Amino acid sequence: MTASDRNLRLDYIEFAVADIAASKAFYGAAFGWTFTDYGPDYCEFDDGRMKGGFIHGAPRPGGALIVLYADGLAQAQARIEAAGAKIVASHEFPGGRRFHFIDPDGYELAVWSDR
């Protein structure tokens, strides 16, 4: 990918988390993400399409809403709940459905599907 292909596009997401191991366990179980540790205070995650990081520090819930896509919304919700998340909202909209959840550090994310 050339620099112009990446210019001004979402490229990386970083979360400050209280416990990197707990975050790895949650996101690994919920979404199948893989991880590369870079010392005790930083871990990169890879969802197969996009990368981001967990930095050890005080969680900063809020900010941008990260929205993930799922082929099967009910299956995704079950997996996320089994990993320990709390579902806080669910609704339909023109073109699909989505739900919002709170991860172990208090970040709110959403998952949507057009199926």
Side-chain angles (χ1 to χ4, degrees), residues 11 13 17 27 33 36 38 40 43 47 51-53 58 66 68 72 75 79-80 93 97 99-100 102 108 113-114:
D11 188 58
I13 301 167
V17 299
Y27 284 96
W33 291 0
T36 303
Y38 292 99
C43 173
D47 76 352
K51 293 183 179 184
I66 306 299
L68 299 104
Q75 296 87 344
R79 186 172 175 170
I80 291 165
F93 59 91
R97 297 176 295 132
F99 66 87
H100 292 223
I102 304 296
E108 181 173 344
S113 183
D114 57 358

Side-chain angles (χ1 to χ4, degrees), residues 1-9:
M1 181 178 279
T2 65
S4 62
D5 291 335
R6 298 174 72 179
N7 188 39
L8 302 178
R9 296 180 189 228

